Amino acid sequence: MKEALYEKDLTAMKFTILESRRHDRMVREIAADLGIPHLLLRRYLMENLDMLLLENLPARYEQGKKFQEGLPEVERALSSHLYTRAVPLINERVMDAIVAATKERVAAGIPLSEAVSAGKAMVRQVILR
């Protein structure tokens, strides 16, 4: 009797998807933005996303980048929509807390670039857990 596909380890197939040119470029861009090694991000994607979502990630990523342009400054700088909706790396609730903390830092007089760096460090911590 044949073994059901859902019982198999799909790691090799997921890796093959993420090796394609468009996927690799997207992974490297996200990894550079967040300051994490692209291999760790690739592993995170393989462990947390299903194959259907993985196959569609580059198109979702490009659409998410376009949508980001219309967001407020802090959300745009943190890529909040991109990393919660387009490429679901972290939970929206967690990202909302990170955005709120970043806005509090800006309101406290910390420069936007430093506040965003701290926010991206929080995103990085969530992914690297």
Side-chain angles (χ1 to χ4, degrees), residues 34-37 40-41 44 89-90 94-95 98 101 105 117-129:
L34 296 175
I36 59 176
L40 290 179
L41 180 60
Y44 181 83
L89 295 176
I90 64 175
V94 174
M95 182 57 92
I98 293 170
R105 288 172 188 241
S117 293
K120 287 194 179 193
M122 289 185 257
V123 172
R124 189 171 38 252
Q125 285 178 335
V126 170
I127 292 172
L128 295 178
R129 266 191 226 160

Side-chain angles (χ1 to χ4, degrees), residues 16 18 24 35 41 57 78 80 86 106 116 123 129:
T16 300
L18 289 173
D24 186 59
L41 180 60
L57 277 182
L78 286 173
S80 63
V106 171
V116 168
V123 172
R129 266 191 226 160

Side-chain angles (χ1 to χ4, degrees), residues 67-86:
F67 183 83
Q68 285 284 120
E69 295 170 5
L71 293 177
E73 191 173 30
V74 172
E75 286 89 341
R76 187 175 55 246
L78 286 173
S79 302
S80 63
H81 173 79
L82 192 62
Y83 298 145
T84 57
R85 292 281 182 106

